[in-house]
Amino acid sequence: MELTGAQIVIECLKEQGVDTVFGFPGGAILNVYDELYKHRDEITHYLTSHEQGASHAADGYARATGKVGVCFATSGPGATNMVTGIATAYMDSIPVVMITCNVGLNLLGKDSFQEIDILGITMPVTKYNFIVKDVTKLADVIRRAFRIAQTGRPGPVVIDITKNVTATKTEYTYKKPEPILPDASVINEIDVEKAVTMIAHSKRPFVFVGGGVTLANASEELRRFVKKIDAPVADSLMGKGAFDGTSDAYVGMLGMHGTKAANYGLNQSDLIIVVGSRFSDRVIGNPKTFGNKAQILQIDVDASEINKNIVVTHCIAGDAKLVLRKLSAQLNQMEHNEWMQYINELKTRYPLTYPKDRLTGPQIVETIYEMTHGDAVICTEVGQHQMWAAQFYKYDAPRKFISSGGLGTMGYGLGASIGAKVACPEKTVINIAGDGCFRMNFNELLTASKYNIPIIEVIFNNSVLGMVRQWQTLFYERRYSSTILDGDFDYARIAEACGCRGMNVTNKEELTEALKEALSADGPVVINCFIDCDDKVWPMVAPGASISEAFSEEDMIRK
């Protein structure tokens, strides 16, 4: 049948099983929105307050479900407003398809009104991007985009469509998407056999888990593998929940704000098995000293990540789910009682602690954990609150922690929490934010209010840019340049003005009552928690130092 380009966009989305889109309309994409209106019973559109909020919502939707998130924007500033969201998804390998429309083909290259080369702008931060100037190619491009976003190492794909294409007709035929399965053919069996030998000879194996395990839906395979080799497990920020954070084998997060047990334990291992992690600088500290007493085995679906930041002893390129299955099948049951006892002693000797005499970030997170029984989707912005959420909430399953890791995008969490709640309406979704981040994105409270999306926003209000201030205190001789948030703003009243319930709390008792009310509310709630401006995230590794040099406040006092 003959359809316009705009109709083809909608039909192709339906082919892919898309029932939710986040976006903001404009002139160039108007034909698509007009067609979307006619299919509003099949595809629900959420109008965000800003295109960046739409991109983060699509990202949060994807992280919460494993499905492709979709968002729309118009040409020019509409498209450029999504660039931060595209880069956020790219750095964390999140499958998102972002559809923009550009000016008509006859106006391209003429500095026309709201014309922008969005392909040129996004090329460094997309897995792939397209511009469609011929309507006969549109359907195939959309199908390719969804497949590219999901195969191998996932990532964002941008499709830019000229406006004339959305109005032009061509023949369209429905095409059922082919199932996307991990590619077993790329896994080298000789590499697997060598890895099995390395693991079998190891006396002190240590497993480090990244976000690739979640992306590969390999958590169950990881659990069986860890049980088989009897090893401790640490995770990265993106790896939260990929391995059960309540397990006795779990030692905490690794890296700059990781636990001492994780950082010290890795330093004493003889084999570090890295699954689905790219060795971020915030994880490894000084690359010259990272794991220098051990052999390193890296498992990653993206061969370009192997030997990029850390030169490893051996590697297996392939999907984590398939590789872990193969390894487990070829390994005998192992026991490392002495090694595991040593790790448990580290955990006992170096627990995460915080002051109990006042309301603090860790206390807020632990209270949220207690009141949600560990069964919530926790989104975060970026900063101290993000680290506390990673340290003090126990994530027992994947897709329960949603945060910007690679790009570190302040303003990410609120949009992401909206996307996560839309994707998982049956789950409690809480966004943990700093007051600096809240200032960047509270306009999206209008989105939550408009659609009555019952998210809970918990603000850690210390009247400063907390993480930057922490660095200024420790490394810049307390020169607090532009990190104090002047002004007596009542964020609870701002929330009320946006149509949400707003509450201020100053102690644990007030927090408990506020959370109790928020958890039973049928609309969005903002809880503004006042904490001290000089509370810090501990432990910490100084920039460029070895992770074995992690220090706490007590260590500084002793010096």
Side-chain angles (χ1 to χ4, degrees), residues 255-256 281 285-286 471 474-475 539-547 549-551:
M256 179 173 283
D281 58 294
N286 185 344
W471 280 51
L474 296 175
F475 309 120
M540 183 171 186
V541 176
S546 168
I547 61 171
E549 297 174 43
F551 63 93

Side-chain angles (χ1 to χ4, degrees), residues 3 7 47 100 318 366 379 388 450 463 475 478 501 535:
L3 299 179
Q7 291 172 319
L47 175 65
T100 61
E366 283 199 339
C379 302
W388 286 322
K450 171 182 171 67
S463 298
F475 309 120
R478 300 178 184 271
R501 176 83 171 91
D535 283 351

Side-chain angles (χ1 to χ4, degrees), residues 50-357:
H50 192 281
E51 289 92 350
Q52 184 171 321
S55 63
H56 293 328
D59 176 301
Y61 182 98
R63 295 191 201 220
T65 62
K67 299 192 294 186
V68 177
V70 180
C71 57
F72 286 172
T74 196
S75 63
T80 57
N81 280 345
M82 291 206 304
V83 171
T84 298
I86 296 168
T88 301
Y90 178 74
M91 290 292 283
D92 292 341
S93 304
I94 306 304
V96 180
V97 170
M98 303 183 175
I99 297 176
T100 61
C101 286
N102 216 319
V103 298
L105 185 59
N106 62 318
L107 296 175
L108 280 180
K110 298 181 179 179
D111 293 331
S112 304
F113 177 68
Q114 292 192 333
E115 179 196 356
I116 201 74
D117 178 12
I118 196 62
L119 259 70
I121 290 171
T122 61
M123 192 173 291
V125 291
T126 49
K127 187 176 178 185
Y128 208 90
N129 60 15
F130 300 88
I131 184 167
V132 183
K133 303 177 184 179
D134 181 349
V135 70
T136 64
K137 298 178 181 178
L138 178 59
D140 286 341
V141 164
I142 294 172
R143 291 162 184 153
R144 281 186 63 199
F146 273 83
R147 191 163 190 86
I148 289 169
Q150 298 172 83
T151 51
R153 180 179 182 171
V157 179
V158 169
I159 307 170
D160 193 37
I161 309 167
T162 58
K163 186 170 183 178
N164 60 289
V165 166
T166 65
T168 306
K169 287 188 174 184
T170 192
E171 193 66 25
Y172 163 82
T173 303
Y174 171 83
K175 187 174 181 180
K176 184 179 179 180
E178 295 179 7
I180 296 175
L181 302 172
D183 186 0
S185 66
V186 301
I187 300 173
N188 187 310
E189 294 299 332
I190 295 175
D191 289 340
V192 174
E193 290 171 10
K194 181 176 179 181
V196 167
T197 301
M198 291 172 69
I199 296 167
H201 285 87
S202 170
K203 303 298 182 184
R204 300 185 305 279
F206 190 102
V207 179
F208 173 52
V209 179
V213 174
T214 296
L215 294 170
N217 296 312
S219 290
E220 180 57 27
E221 286 76 11
L222 175 67
R223 184 193 66 78
R224 291 174 184 167
F225 173 73
V226 169
K227 185 176 181 181
K228 195 71 162 295
I229 69 170
D230 191 28
V233 181
D235 54 21
S236 68
L237 188 70
M238 289 293 95
K240 285 287 161 191
F243 186 78
D244 185 354
T246 66
S247 168
D248 290 340
Y250 180 67
V251 294
M253 188 166 67
L254 191 71
M256 179 173 283
H257 293 295
T259 64
K260 285 187 176 182
N263 287 349
Y264 295 174
L266 177 137
N267 197 50
Q268 295 302 317
S269 68
D270 63 6
L271 175 64
I272 303 167
I273 304 166
V274 183
V275 189
S277 176
R278 59 184 178 82
F279 292 111
S280 162
D281 58 294
R282 291 297 176 98
V283 165
I284 64 175
N286 185 344
K288 294 180 181 178
T289 61
F290 180 84
N292 58 358
K293 298 178 183 178
Q295 293 185 309
I296 301 176
L297 168 63
Q298 185 178 6
I299 300 165
D300 204 288
V301 72
D302 186 354
S304 70
E305 289 294 345
I306 295 170
N307 292 323
K308 186 175 82 173
N309 295 329
I310 291 291
V311 177
V312 300
T313 312
H314 183 56
C315 64
I316 305 174
D319 180 83
K321 180 188 285 283
L322 300 183
V323 172
L324 290 171
R325 281 180 184 171
K326 286 177 178 289
L327 291 174
S328 294
Q330 296 182 39
L331 285 162
N332 295 321
Q333 181 61 50
M334 305 173 73
E335 288 187 1
H336 299 107
N337 295 331
E338 187 177 336
W339 171 235
M340 294 303 287
Q341 183 179 344
Y342 171 74
I343 292 295
N344 284 328
E345 288 171 0
L346 288 179
K347 290 164 65 176
T348 302
R349 195 184 314 163
Y350 301 113
L352 292 172
T353 60
Y354 61 88
K356 302 292 173 67
D357 60 339

Side-chain angles (χ1 to χ4, degrees), residues 257 282 382-385 410 436 462 464-484 533-537 540:
H257 293 295
R282 291 297 176 98
V382 171
Q384 288 180 316
H385 58 278
M410 291 178 67
N462 54 10
V464 295
L465 301 178
M467 187 60 85
V468 186
R469 181 183 177 90
Q470 177 166 332
W471 280 51
Q472 289 173 331
T473 300
L474 296 175
F475 309 120
Y476 289 84
E477 299 179 344
R478 300 178 184 271
R479 293 186 294 274
Y480 299 124
S481 175
S482 301
T483 50
I484 299 171
C533 67
D534 283 315
D535 283 351
K536 294 179 177 61
V537 180
M540 183 171 186

